[in-house]
Amino acid sequence: MSDQLLQILDPTGRKVGPAPRVRREVLRRLLRAMLMTRHFDDRCMKLQRTGKIGFSVPNLGIEAVSAGAAAALDPERDWIAPSYRDFAMAFYHGVSAEAMMDTQFGNAADNNRGRQMPVHFTFREPVRFLSISSPIGTHLPQAVGIALAMKKRGEDGVCLASFGDGGTSSLGFHSGLNFAGVFGAPVVFLCQNNQWAISCPIDKQTASATIAAKAEAYGMPGRRVDGNDVLAVHKAVTEAVKRARAGEGPTLIEAVTMRMGGHSTSDDPSRYVPAELLAEWREKDPLIRFQRFLVDQGVMGEEEIAALDAECAEECAAAARAAAGKGRPALDTIFSDVYAELPPHLRAQQDWCIRHYSSRGEGVDEKGEFPL
């Protein structure tokens, strides 16, 4: 199966394969997650370009992979070990745009206390969302560890690990998949094959015919799916989750898609992505494809979709305004969250630090507030 591409909706939104039985409520949630991702992504790009935030990672074109996969998970049992291009996974499970925008601004409400770069989201509720890490592939062995811990506890949870095509060349990919295969860890490895690892094209990334074919070496099934077809992704991940939950071990899924923006806001893709390739993939837009399907099937009307689109746009704009208006993290947060009780030597350092910056007139008050 590793060389066959699973597709349910063609680029026009027409069914070309048997669609999974998905409740209308889930179909609407999938669309909302994809719309939220597109508007949040667009808002972050504008904020970065105007100097309001320092960094973002474009999700344009990848929305169906993240949303379709997220819909296959149970937030009360499962974990997500995401890549930094998985906004839709958080949105599908009910994370608010404001909570995500707090991380983009690194403000006092940010779960990371402003210590991480923007885009490095982490949440315990409403979904178990492992902290995003910039080093490529390091989270894959961690995902296997989470999965094995659940297995040892007798839980039936599954961990979904998401990564890009560049991640398949990392040490974490090989060690993670090997460990998962040997020990039968309940993990779903989801590769977003978006054609480019920054400026390195897929044909320079691997000599394998497909990424899914790599699964055979680690003793697990490999599945290839149209990553711009949200229903196909949902079907493939649902089946992999079912296998893992039943104790049948891990699966590697390759979702073939295309990153339509830069690798990050620091990247200019026009320097290496051929214009004709971008034009070809624009015709495969995952959002337009899914919207056409919903209208054709009578799930939602065009006016209803337009209203939802406007609602998502305003929610993201409001989230940016709210996050921008929040204060910076307090200076004492540099010392927090390592020990349950701050030891004396760190408390002395904290007190000195606050006194030092106060003496320089840099905005520290008695509560340790400081404009980081």
Side-chain angles (χ1 to χ4, degrees):
M1 295 178 65
S2 62
D3 61 342
Q4 297 177 355
L5 188 73
L6 174 64
Q7 185 182 73
I8 293 170
L9 304 178
D10 71 10
T12 70
R14 183 174 60 90
K15 282 198 299 182
V16 293
R21 300 184 68 177
V22 182
R23 300 192 311 274
R24 290 190 171 218
E25 173 195 350
V26 173
L27 293 173
R28 290 189 177 95
R29 282 181 66 184
L30 284 168
L31 177 62
R32 189 179 192 282
M34 293 170 70
L35 286 169
M36 284 294 294
T37 299
R38 188 153 293 190
H39 285 295
F40 189 87
D41 185 33
D42 180 66
R43 180 62 52 179
C44 288
M45 289 293 293
K46 291 172 179 173
L47 289 168
Q48 194 278 335
R49 293 299 191 240
T50 55
K52 303 295 196 313
I53 63 175
F55 181 80
S56 193
V57 174
N59 280 231
L60 184 64
I62 314 295
E63 300 93 344
V65 181
S66 297
L73 301 175
D74 181 345
E76 295 184 359
R77 292 189 286 179
D78 302 329
W79 277 83
I80 296 173
S83 78
Y84 37 63
R85 222 178 299 277
D86 277 321
F87 295 0
M89 289 191 185
F91 283 130
Y92 181 85
H93 285 292
V95 176
S96 72
E98 185 173 334
M100 293 176 67
M101 202 61 83
D102 287 337
T103 297
Q104 299 298 74
F105 279 86
N107 61 34
D110 171 23
N111 287 341
N112 295 317
R113 308 287 194 273
R115 299 170 182 142
Q116 273 274 31
M117 290 172 64
V119 180
H120 292 61
F121 309 107
T122 180
F123 305 99
R124 291 296 299 271
E125 293 179 348
V127 63
R128 300 169 180 179
F129 201 86
L130 187 68
S131 177
I132 291 170
S133 177
S134 277
I136 300 300
T138 57
H139 63 303
L140 301 189
Q142 295 168 1
V144 177
I146 290 171
L148 286 175
M150 291 190 287
K151 183 178 180 179
K152 286 180 177 292
R153 290 172 178 170
E155 302 171 5
D156 63 351
V158 172
C159 187
L160 173 72
S162 174
F163 50 97
D165 43 291
T168 64
S169 294
S170 69
L171 174 62
F173 175 83
H174 299 287
S175 57
L177 268 72
N178 189 55
F179 207 80
V182 169
F183 291 97
V187 185
V188 178
F189 296 103
L190 176 65
C191 176
Q192 299 176 0
N193 179 1
N194 57 43
Q195 313 300 312
W196 299 90
I198 307 186
S199 58
C200 179
I202 186 64
D203 63 343
K204 301 295 185 184
Q205 191 69 242
T206 181
S208 298
T210 68
I211 288 172
K214 297 176 185 288
E216 184 177 356
Y218 302 105
M220 66 183 72
R223 193 94 187 259
R224 206 159 184 256
V225 61
D226 183 343
N228 284 28
D229 179 351
V230 69
L231 295 183
V233 174
H234 180 55
K235 177 181 173 62
V237 177
T238 296
E239 291 174 354
V241 167
K242 185 178 180 180
R243 283 191 71 255
R245 225 184 285 287
E248 297 176 16
T251 303
L252 171 62
I253 298 172
E254 174 190 359
V256 181
T257 182
M258 175 68 179
R259 164 171 57 81
M260 298 300 290
H263 171 75
S264 73
T265 50
S266 304
D267 176 41
D268 179 7
S270 67
R271 294 177 64 88
Y272 56 86
V273 179
E276 58 272 18
L277 183 62
L278 281 175
E280 175 188 336
W281 278 91
R282 284 193 192 98
E283 298 301 315
K284 303 176 184 179
D285 188 304
L287 191 52
I288 294 174
R289 182 185 307 200
F290 189 44
Q291 288 173 337
R292 288 172 177 168
F293 167 78
L294 294 176
V295 171
D296 290 346
Q297 297 297 308
V299 177
M300 298 179 73
E302 292 182 357
E303 291 184 0
E304 186 180 0
I305 290 174
L308 180 60
D309 182 65
E311 176 187 312
C312 292
E314 175 51 34
E315 186 173 336
C316 291
R321 291 193 294 269
K326 296 177 184 178
R328 300 290 187 179
L331 182 58
D332 62 5
T333 59
I334 294 173
F335 302 89
S336 64
D337 300 325
V338 178
Y339 296 94
E341 184 175 342
L342 198 66
H345 72 286
L346 286 184
R347 185 170 298 280
Q349 291 180 33
Q350 172 187 284
D351 293 344
W352 180 91
C353 185
I354 292 174
R355 287 197 306 273
H356 172 71
Y357 283 102
S358 295
S359 69
R360 294 172 55 174
E362 298 195 19
V364 181
D365 64 17
E366 70 279 0
K367 295 180 181 179
E369 294 175 354
F370 178 72
L372 295 177

